[in-house]
């Protein structure tokens, strides 16, 4: 039995082992042994750990049993101190306005949390230090707020701020001029420009140069620390300021946590470009401005970035699977992108080949120039400026000024004589001095230009001068008394080879066309496509209507026309894509019969027709408004539908019975436009460009007439103005003559410093009305568009136009409006909005914003192109008419280029900051302090030595 039992155990055991090995594999024995070993080892480790902990507790109890017992009173006091909660009382009033205090408290809380608390709590849990810092910050803000309420901010915003910006622009312009004059350009162009900029700054400021602060990160941090410590001294109570720990903490937080990141962002060119685009986000992209930027840019990186984006868009459009009408839209977009790609490639090739030359020289050498008649030159601000410069160089400015003065005399005399006739009709008493003043004015013109004492004297035949003198002595003066001699002077300027014919062959004429934006784009192969166009200036010379058309019976008053645009489509002709409008026309005759036909017109046909009729019927210009052009990619359905609707409204207004009744002679022109035939444009492309510039001036009055008419309140006042204007004209003419012929410099106020080497505000014209907007606008216009290089006559004209514009817009309340606007900008609601924007910018959703990564180079380059396009696109045509298209482009691009260099942008930010502090604390000597803070610049020492050496040589 025992053997059987043993055999049974071994049998079953062996079977179990075999089944175990078959089920779990041969390595299961090792796993089982390993698990058993871990179980035994773990139990042993737990036993040791448990014994160790119990032993330590027992030893600790034994040690404490030998210490003397603590007194009950001390323990009780400690327990009460632990249980006692200190009440935290923070006065949250900062500025006295709840609108500002709430977001400002949040800014303080976020700043303490992210700049102090995150590391302070690792050292201590005592919050008293944090509360002291918060209270100190609040005390400083209270002092700052109190001081800001006592300051009159109007002079700062209307004068100091603009002066700082204009002076900064002047320094940049001088740096550009210096760099252009240098021939040995061995270093990087950016480094040379920055060096030239700060060299020009020290020459202008004389005692200050911010190059060290703007180019050295270490020196910049030191400057900000010194500035923040000074501000804490002014704003903190003495006890808080003398607490060094507190002061150093606040100084570092303000300098490195607030000011330095803010200055880094404000001086970043890419951020400025994005801000410009955001500011002008409501305006649509201007196609003409975009193409001008591509053709004018000298940065291959910008062109490469645009080209890459174009290729990306082309690849996307070609991958689309479309059919039907959508395919035409996509084809139009592809054609537009291919054109932009070609422009970029051509421009890049020219820049890399080094064959980039002045377009003015190319046009003068190869291009056939547009011819502008002399009569149009004499009534256009910009054209007259160049012709005046040419006549001055030719020594014949007396003839030109005589012609202009006679124009002014004629207009004023006509006004006064009309006023006299009105007085006679109304039965009012006629002033006795009227004829005497008119005669005195006429004699003044004669003495200035035609008498033997005149210097210089207008060269006309003596017989005409004698005849005029006899008329002035015997007859009463009339507006036409100078007409005969004026006509002879005009013919002399027109036909004499020294004057107008030579002017058309001079470089000044080419520059004039560039300013008028009428210079043909020259062919770089040395030839030009097509002949030059001449514009005859006739309002109706371009209308191709015969006498038979005008007398045709179909234009009888009983003829009724009705037309509307029934359909629109997109056409592609030899690679040119344009929209075509189908106009359905109904004509009903007197006998009741009706005719119906369709005619097809482009938008350019509408534009040409509009120019025709507004020339012939000037009163229609204020009634009929043609829909404006759209820019790039203007073939989408929504836009074409909108334009169709607008053009329909234009046609309905044109065919309105009241309109036809008011202008019966308009019918032939309308019928010619709606007739079922190919429309013949009356004006060429360049003639239409001339019209754009001439029409605004033709519709108003001659410029010289505008300068002297001014609708005086009384005849005596008007004639006094005429005499004064002629006297000043004579004085300026004498100076111009001496300067050009005798090489004598013009009379200028004596100053110890070159006007170009001082701040802009030091040269404000004292004769200008004490009108803040006018002074600011003139100051900016001078520097942005460099008007000091222009003819002085043009500068005076611009000044008069701006003055009239401001007075016409705002009247005598302009100063009050400026004050109201400044008050609005500094109101509690606006200041609270500024604080909220600052808070949301640095702590979006209450979380400290991370430093954004630097954007890709191509994106930054395309942003530059978009910003330049936006700036050029918002420039009004009226400004181009006043100062010239080329000058406008150069001025805007100069301002844009100024913001593309970070060291210069830092300089502007620090100038604004210094001006702000000088305005905030006028009782302290901040100007002297800034001189000391910036005295570490080596350029100041070199300039001082240069001045000393030059003074010793004298």
């Amino acid at each position: 039995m025992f053997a059987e039992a043993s055999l049974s155990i071994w049998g079953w055991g062996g079977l179990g082992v075999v089944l175990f090995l078959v089920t779990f594999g041969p390595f299961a024995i090792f796993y089982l042994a390993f698990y058993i070993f871990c179980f035994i080892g773990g139990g042993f480790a737990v036993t040791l750990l448990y014994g160790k902990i119990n032993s330590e507790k027992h030893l600790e109890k034994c040690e404490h049993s030998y210490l003397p017992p603590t007194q009950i009173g001390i323990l009780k006091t400690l327990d009460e101190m632990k249980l006692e909660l200190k009440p935290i009382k923070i006065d949250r009033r900062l500025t006295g306005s709840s609108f500002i205090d709430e977001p400002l408290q949040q800014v303080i809380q976020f700043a303490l949390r992210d700049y102090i608390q995150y590391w302070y709590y690792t050292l201590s849990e005592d919050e008293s230090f944090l509360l002291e810092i918060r209270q100190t910050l609040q005390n400083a803000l209270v002092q700052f707020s109190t001081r800001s309420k006592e300051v009159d901010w109007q002079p700062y915003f209307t004068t100091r701020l603009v002066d700082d910006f204009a002076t900064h622009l002047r320094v940049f312009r001088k740096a550009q001029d210096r760099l252009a004059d240098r021939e040995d350009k061995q270093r990087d162009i950016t480094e040379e420009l920055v060096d030239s900029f700060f060299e020009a700054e020290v020459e202008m400021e004389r005692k200050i140069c911010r190059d060290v602060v703007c180019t050295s990160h270490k020196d910049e941090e030191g400057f900000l620390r010194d500035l923040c410590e000074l501000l804490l001294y002014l704003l903190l109570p003495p006890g808080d300021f003398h607490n060094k720990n507190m002061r150093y903490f606040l100084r570092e937080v303000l300098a490195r946590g607030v000011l330095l990141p803010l200055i880094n962002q404000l001086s970043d060119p890419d951020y400025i470009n994005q801000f410009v685009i955001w500011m002008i986000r409501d305006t649509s992209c201007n196609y003409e401005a975009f193409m001008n930027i591509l053709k004018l840019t000298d940065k291959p990186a910008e062109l490469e970035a645009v080209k890459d984006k174009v290729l990306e868009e082309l690849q996307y459009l070609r991958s689309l699977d479309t059919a039907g009408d959508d395919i035409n839209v996509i084809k139009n977009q592809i054609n537009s992108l291919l054109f932009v790609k070609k422009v970029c490639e051509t421009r890049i090739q020219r820049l890399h080949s080094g064959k980039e030359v002045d377009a003015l020289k190319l046009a003068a050498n190869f291009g056939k120039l547009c011819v502008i008649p002399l009569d149009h030159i004499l009534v256009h601000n910009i054209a007259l400026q160049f012709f005046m410069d040419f006549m001055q160089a030719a020594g014949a400015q007396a003839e030109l000024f005589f012609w202009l003065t006679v124009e002014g005399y004629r207009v004023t005399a006509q006004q006064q004589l009309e006023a006299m006739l009105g007085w006679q009709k109304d039965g009012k008493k006629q002033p006795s001095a009227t004829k005497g003043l008119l005669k005195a004015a006429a004699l003044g013109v004669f003495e200035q230009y035609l008498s033997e004492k005149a210097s210089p004297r207008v060269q006309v035949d003596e017989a005409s001068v004698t005849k005029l003198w006899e008329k002035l002595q015997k007859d009463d003066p009339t507006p036409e008394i100078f007409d005969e001699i004026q006509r002879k002077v005009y013919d002399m300027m027109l036909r004499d080879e020294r004057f107008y014919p030579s002017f058309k062959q001079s470089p000044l004429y080419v520059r004039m066309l560039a300013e008028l934006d009428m210079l043909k784009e020259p062919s770089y192969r040395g030839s030009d496509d097509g002949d030059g166009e001449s514009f005859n200036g006739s309002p109706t010379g371009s209308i191709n209507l015969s006498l038979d058309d005008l007398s045709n019976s179909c234009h009888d008053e009983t003829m009724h026309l009705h037309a509307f645009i029934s359909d629109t489509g997109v056409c592609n002709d030899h690679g040119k894509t344009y929209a075509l409008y189908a106009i359905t026309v109904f004509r009903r005759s007197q006998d009741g019969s009706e005719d119906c036909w369709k005619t097809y017109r482009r938008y350019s046909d509408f534009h040409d027709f509009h120019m025709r009729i507004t020339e012939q019927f000037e009163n229609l210009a204020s009634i009929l408004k043609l829909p404006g052009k759209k820019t790039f990619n203007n073939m989408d359905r929504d836009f074409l539908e909108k334009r169709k609707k607008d053009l329909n409204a234009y046609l309905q207004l044109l065919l309105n019975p009241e309109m036809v009744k008011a202008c019966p002679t308009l019918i032939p022109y309308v019928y010619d436009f709606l007739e079922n035939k190919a429309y013949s444009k009356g004006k060429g492309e360049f003639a239409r460009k001339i019209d754009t510039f001439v029409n605004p001036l033709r519709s108003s009055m001659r410029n010289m007439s505008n300068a002297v008419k001014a609708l005086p309140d009384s005849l005596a006042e008007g004639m006094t103005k005429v005499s004064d204007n002629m006297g000043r004209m004579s004085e300026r003419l004498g100076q111009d003559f001496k300067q050009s012929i005798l090489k004598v410099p013009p009379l200028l106020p004596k100053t110890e410093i070159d006007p170009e080497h001082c701040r802009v505000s030091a040269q404000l014209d004292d004769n200008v009305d004490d009108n803040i907007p006018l002074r600011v606008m003139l100051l900016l216009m001078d520097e942005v568009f460099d008007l000091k290089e222009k003819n002085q006559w043009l500068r005076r004209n611009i000044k008069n136009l701006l003055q009239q514009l401001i007075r016409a817009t705002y009247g005598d309340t302009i100063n009050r409006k400026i004050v109201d606007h400044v008050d609005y900008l500094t109101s509690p609601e606006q200041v609270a909005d500024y604080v909220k924007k600052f808070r949301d910018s640095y702590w979006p959703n209450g979380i400290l914003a991370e430093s954004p990564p630097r954007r890709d180079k191509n994106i930054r380059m395309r942003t530059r192109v978009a910003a330049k396009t936006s700036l050029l696109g918002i420039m009004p045509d009226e400004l181009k008419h006043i100062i010239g298209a080329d000058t406008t482009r150069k001025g805007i691009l100069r301002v844009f280029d100024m913001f593309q260099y970070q060291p210069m942008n830092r300089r502007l930010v620090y100038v604004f900051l210094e001006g702000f502090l000088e305005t905030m604390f006028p009782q302290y000597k901040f100007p002297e302090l800034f001189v000391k803070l910036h005295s570490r610049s080596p350029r100041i020492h070199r300039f001082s030595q240069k001045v000393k050496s030059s003074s010793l040589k004298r």
Side-chain angles (χ1 to χ4, degrees):
M1 291 294 294
F2 178 77
E4 290 180 1
S6 175
L7 181 62
S8 176
I9 292 172
W10 284 104
W12 286 106
L15 181 62
V17 171
V18 171
L19 292 175
F20 178 82
L21 292 176
V22 171
T23 305
F24 299 103
F27 295 98
I29 297 175
F30 300 101
Y31 293 148
L32 181 61
F34 178 73
Y35 294 153
I36 294 172
F37 175 77
C38 290
F39 177 76
I40 295 173
F44 183 72
V46 170
T47 303
L48 287 178
L49 183 62
Y50 177 75
K52 181 177 179 297
I53 293 174
N54 286 337
S55 299
E56 289 178 351
K57 289 182 178 179
H58 178 71
L59 290 174
E60 186 178 357
K61 290 180 179 179
C62 292
E63 290 176 358
H64 283 290
S65 64
Y66 296 103
L67 294 176
T70 307
Q71 297 181 8
I72 300 176
I74 297 177
L75 292 175
K76 188 176 180 180
T77 303
L78 291 174
D79 293 338
E80 290 180 356
M81 291 178 62
K82 290 179 181 179
L83 295 175
E84 182 181 359
L85 295 176
K86 295 182 179 179
I88 302 175
K89 295 182 179 180
I90 300 176
D91 189 357
R92 294 185 173 273
R93 294 175 298 177
L94 298 174
T95 63
S97 172
S98 58
F99 297 104
I100 306 175
D101 290 350
E102 182 179 353
L104 200 56
Q105 286 287 353
Q106 292 179 347
V107 170
I108 295 174
Q109 180 64 36
F110 292 154
L112 291 175
R113 180 195 66 189
D114 295 326
Y115 291 108
I116 297 178
Q117 290 180 2
Y118 83 96
W119 58 263
Y120 177 76
Y121 281 136
T122 62
L123 303 177
S124 173
E125 296 182 357
D126 187 8
E127 296 188 356
S128 60
F129 178 73
L130 298 177
L131 295 177
E132 290 294 335
I133 289 182
R134 186 186 187 103
Q135 192 63 46
T136 302
L137 278 175
Q138 293 191 169
N139 291 337
L141 288 174
V142 169
Q143 292 295 327
F144 184 86
S145 172
T146 304
R147 182 60 203 150
S148 63
K149 293 177 183 178
E150 300 173 356
V151 175
D152 181 13
W153 291 104
Q154 180 189 347
Y156 174 74
F157 285 109
T158 58
T159 304
R160 175 65 187 265
L161 198 67
V162 180
D163 177 39
D164 287 339
F165 178 81
T167 302
H168 184 82
L169 181 60
R170 172 178 289 185
V171 176
F172 178 73
R173 177 172 52 81
K174 289 172 67 66
Q176 282 186 320
D177 295 341
R178 287 186 179 187
L179 195 63
D181 294 339
R182 290 185 185 177
E183 297 180 356
D184 53 338
K185 299 177 181 178
Q186 300 177 355
R187 295 186 300 164
D188 180 63
I189 186 71
T190 301
E191 294 181 5
E192 290 194 4
L193 184 61
V194 171
D195 286 346
S196 300
F197 178 85
F198 287 110
E199 290 288 347
E201 182 195 21
V202 73
E203 291 179 3
M204 184 169 295
E205 301 282 355
R206 304 183 72 81
K207 294 182 179 181
I208 289 181
C209 186
R210 302 172 181 84
D211 56 342
V212 174
V213 174
C214 297
T215 57
S216 171
H217 185 70
K218 181 179 179 181
D219 291 313
E220 183 180 21
E221 288 186 354
F223 173 80
L224 289 176
R225 287 192 183 99
D226 294 339
L227 190 60
C228 290
E229 192 155 358
L230 177 63
L231 291 176
L232 293 176
Y233 172 77
L234 296 177
L235 298 174
L236 293 181
D240 291 339
F241 178 79
H242 291 298
N243 185 339
K244 291 185 178 182
N245 293 334
M246 187 82 65
R247 186 171 80 237
Y248 292 160
F249 273 123
L250 292 178
R251 184 189 69 180
E252 292 300 316
V253 169
L254 291 177
R256 302 193 60 181
V258 179
L259 289 180
L260 191 58
L262 183 62
I263 292 171
N264 288 335
Q265 185 173 13
L266 294 178
S267 61
D268 182 16
D270 187 50
Y271 173 79
I272 296 175
N273 295 336
Q274 294 179 66
F275 183 75
V276 168
I277 297 173
W278 179 81
M279 288 289 291
I280 320 175
R281 62 190 182 279
D282 295 333
T283 60
S284 59
C285 179
N286 187 292
Y287 167 75
E288 183 180 0
F290 176 67
M291 298 309 300
N292 280 335
I293 291 300
L294 294 182
K295 294 175 182 178
L296 294 175
T297 182
D298 56 351
K299 305 290 185 184
E302 294 180 1
L303 297 167
E304 292 285 358
V306 174
K307 178 184 170 184
D308 290 344
K309 189 64 177 178
V310 168
L311 293 175
E312 181 183 333
E313 290 294 324
L314 283 172
Q315 184 178 2
Y316 170 73
L317 291 175
R318 286 168 176 165
S319 67
L320 294 178
D321 185 14
T322 56
D325 296 337
D326 293 339
I327 192 67
N328 295 325
V329 176
I330 293 178
K331 285 182 177 179
N332 295 333
Q333 294 176 351
I334 291 176
N335 290 334
S336 300
L337 292 172
L338 288 174
F339 176 71
V340 174
K341 175 176 172 288
K342 182 179 179 181
V343 171
C344 293
E345 290 176 344
T346 304
R347 183 67 179 163
I348 291 171
Q349 184 179 2
R350 289 174 184 167
L351 291 175
H352 286 322
S353 63
K355 296 180 180 179
E356 183 65 20
V357 294
D358 191 354
L360 297 183
K361 294 180 181 178
L362 284 173
N365 293 333
F366 306 121
K368 294 185 179 181
L369 304 178
C370 179
V371 178
I372 301 182
L374 180 61
D375 57 340
H376 285 99
I377 291 176
L378 293 175
V379 299
H380 195 286
N381 272 323
I382 302 165
L384 181 57
Q385 169 215 339
F386 288 97
F387 187 60
M388 192 178 293
D389 290 341
F390 177 83
M391 294 293 283
Q392 180 176 337
Q397 67 269 46
E399 283 75 10
L400 178 59
F401 276 108
F402 170 76
W403 191 92
L404 294 171
T405 305
V406 169
E407 284 293 300
Y409 168 81
R410 181 190 297 112
V411 172
T412 303
Q414 285 175 351
Q415 290 177 349
Q416 302 309 320
L417 292 177
E418 290 175 1
M420 291 167 55
L421 292 176
W423 291 333
Q424 291 176 358
K425 290 180 181 180
D426 297 338
K428 296 181 180 179
K429 184 178 179 181
Q430 180 179 344
S432 58
T434 300
K435 293 183 180 180
L437 289 172
L438 282 174
K439 190 168 186 176
L443 289 173
V445 175
F446 183 87
E447 291 291 334
Q448 284 292 329
Y449 298 104
L450 300 172
S451 67
E452 295 180 357
K453 298 179 181 180
S455 176
R457 187 184 183 191
V458 176
Q459 300 300 316
V460 291
D461 59 285
E462 289 297 332
S464 299
V465 175
T466 304
K467 182 179 178 181
L468 175 63
W469 174 252
E470 292 175 355
K471 281 186 179 180
L472 290 173
Q473 295 298 322
K474 296 179 182 179
D475 303 334
D476 291 334
T478 62
E480 299 82 13
I481 194 168
F482 292 101
D483 281 6
E484 182 180 352
I485 294 182
Q486 188 191 30
R487 189 160 43 249
K488 290 183 177 181
V489 170
Y490 177 84
D491 291 339
M492 178 178 63
M493 292 190 296
L494 179 65
R495 294 181 172 83
D496 195 318
E497 288 295 330
R498 298 173 298 166
F499 305 137
Y500 178 66
S502 297
F503 174 62
K504 291 191 294 183
Q505 305 299 323
S506 69
L508 283 172
Y509 187 79
V510 182
R511 289 177 54 198
M512 179 190 72
L513 293 180
E515 290 287 5
L516 297 178
D517 208 15
M518 293 168 50
L519 197 61
K520 283 188 176 183
E521 187 175 353
S523 171
Y524 288 86
R525 296 188 300 269
S527 63
D528 198 280
D529 299 330
D531 297 329
E533 281 188 27
S534 176
F535 177 70
N536 58 17
S538 172
T540 59
S542 60
I543 300 179
N544 301 320
L545 289 177
S546 64
L547 293 175
D548 294 336
D549 292 331
L550 294 175
S551 60
N552 196 296
S553 60
C554 69
H555 303 315
D556 188 78
E557 289 185 0
T558 58
M559 179 74 65
H560 295 284
L561 279 177
H562 176 63
F564 64 93
I565 300 177
S566 54
D567 196 10
T568 182
V570 179
C571 298
N572 194 318
D573 185 16
H574 300 289
K576 294 183 178 180
T577 305
Y578 55 87
L580 200 63
Y581 300 93
I583 306 176
T584 302
V585 185
F586 294 95
R587 181 182 62 185
R588 189 176 64 195
S589 303
Q590 186 177 6
D591 57 2
S593 61
E594 287 190 359
D595 294 328
C596 178
W597 67 86
K598 278 191 176 184
T599 187
Y600 298 89
R601 295 288 180 260
R602 298 174 56 179
Y603 175 81
S604 58
D605 299 333
F606 277 94
H607 185 260
D608 185 87
F609 170 70
H610 181 76
M611 288 170 54
R612 290 184 178 189
I613 61 175
T614 51
E615 281 182 351
Q616 182 68 12
F617 310 97
E618 293 186 357
N619 59 332
L620 293 180
S622 60
I623 302 174
L624 290 172
K625 299 297 182 183
L626 188 69
K629 292 183 178 181
K630 191 177 181 283
T631 56
F632 204 61
N633 280 342
N634 55 0
M635 296 297 163
D636 57 279
R637 289 182 178 179
D638 293 339
F639 171 72
L640 291 178
E641 286 298 322
K642 183 179 183 301
R643 175 169 281 181
K644 172 185 171 183
K645 181 179 178 181
D646 294 339
L647 290 176
N648 259 325
Y650 178 85
L651 280 176
Q652 302 316 311
L653 182 60
L654 190 66
L655 297 173
N656 189 288
E658 297 296 329
M659 180 78 73
V660 174
K661 186 184 298 184
C663 302
T665 55
L666 177 65
I667 300 178
Y669 304 101
V670 177
Y671 185 79
D672 179 71
F673 178 71
L674 297 177
E675 196 171 0
N676 187 16
K677 64 178 182 180
Y679 182 69
S680 176
K681 288 186 173 67
K683 294 179 179 289
E685 179 183 356
F686 284 91
R688 287 196 296 273
K689 276 195 174 184
I690 272 203
D691 232 49
T692 304
F693 286 93
V694 174
N695 273 339
L697 292 144
R698 183 190 296 148
S699 63
S700 56
M701 212 41 188
R702 293 176 182 267
N703 289 299
M704 195 62 192
S705 305
N706 282 335
V708 294
K709 79 180 189 181
L711 293 177
D713 296 331
S714 65
L715 180 62
E717 180 186 355
M719 297 314 299
T720 303
K721 285 184 179 180
V722 174
S723 302
D724 292 343
N725 284 336
M726 289 190 298
R728 287 194 293 271
M729 179 72 77
S730 172
E731 182 180 348
R732 291 193 297 269
L733 185 61
Q735 289 194 31
D736 292 339
F737 179 76
K738 292 176 182 178
Q739 185 178 8
S740 60
I741 303 299
L742 305 178
K743 305 300 181 184
V744 176
L747 298 177
L748 293 172
K750 294 183 179 180
T751 57
E752 297 180 357
I753 304 175
D754 183 0
E756 279 292 298
H757 291 163
C758 62
R759 295 183 65 86
V760 173
S761 59
Q763 288 185 276
L764 281 175
D765 191 352
D766 294 334
N767 295 323
V768 179
D769 293 344
D770 189 16
N771 192 317
I772 291 174
L774 182 60
R775 294 164 70 90
V776 170
M777 292 179 69
L778 288 175
L779 185 141
L780 279 177
M781 292 275 287
D782 267 357
E783 290 305 320
V784 172
F785 302 107
D786 200 12
L787 297 182
K788 291 178 290 301
E789 299 297 324
K790 299 290 182 182
N791 187 292
Q792 293 301 312
W793 180 88
L794 178 67
R795 289 191 70 197
R796 286 189 294 272
N797 234 7
I798 292 173
K799 193 179 302 181
N800 291 334
L801 287 171
L802 291 173
Q803 189 173 10
Q804 293 172 12
L805 176 65
I806 291 173
R807 287 180 174 172
T809 306
Y810 298 103
D812 297 330
T813 64
I814 182 65
N815 285 327
R816 182 173 57 80
K817 289 182 178 292
I818 288 290
V819 174
D820 292 343
H821 189 62
V822 172
D823 289 342
Y824 168 74
L825 292 176
T826 56
S827 64
E829 293 79 5
Q830 285 299 111
V831 174
D833 189 53
Y834 305 149
V835 176
K836 289 177 182 177
K837 289 180 178 178
F838 175 80
R839 177 199 64 193
D840 297 337
S841 176
Y842 274 80
W843 291 279
N845 298 322
I847 301 174
L848 181 65
E850 297 181 359
S851 298
R854 187 169 177 81
R855 301 200 307 164
D856 181 69
K857 181 181 179 181
N858 281 348
I859 297 178
R860 287 185 279 117
M861 291 298 106
R862 286 194 290 270
T863 304
R864 284 169 57 101
V865 174
K868 285 192 282 187
T869 302
S870 300
L871 287 174
L872 280 185
I874 63 169
M875 287 298 105
D877 291 336
E878 291 77 10
L879 183 62
K880 299 177 183 178
H881 297 161
I882 295 175
I883 63 177
D886 193 51
T887 299
T888 303
R889 280 194 294 267
K890 288 180 179 178
I892 295 301
L893 293 179
R894 181 185 295 116
V895 174
F896 176 82
D897 290 339
M898 180 184 71
F899 287 115
Q900 303 312 305
Y901 303 92
Q902 191 161 16
M904 301 181 193
N905 295 340
R906 301 184 92 86
R907 188 259 178 194
L908 183 60
V909 173
Y910 282 118
V911 168
F912 286 159
L913 178 61
E914 292 169 11
F916 177 82
L917 294 177
E918 290 176 16
T919 306
M920 175 72 78
F921 304 100
Q923 71 274 27
Y924 300 106
K925 299 179 180 180
F926 264 98
E928 298 178 7
L929 176 66
F930 289 130
V931 170
K932 293 180 180 179
L933 290 177
H934 294 297
S935 61
R936 289 171 288 187
S937 172
R939 283 189 170 88
I940 297 178
H941 301 296
R942 290 199 298 266
F943 180 75
S944 301
Q945 294 175 358
K946 181 181 178 181
V947 172
K948 289 180 181 178
S949 61
S950 61
S951 61
L952 291 175
K953 290 180 181 179
R954 294 178 183 176

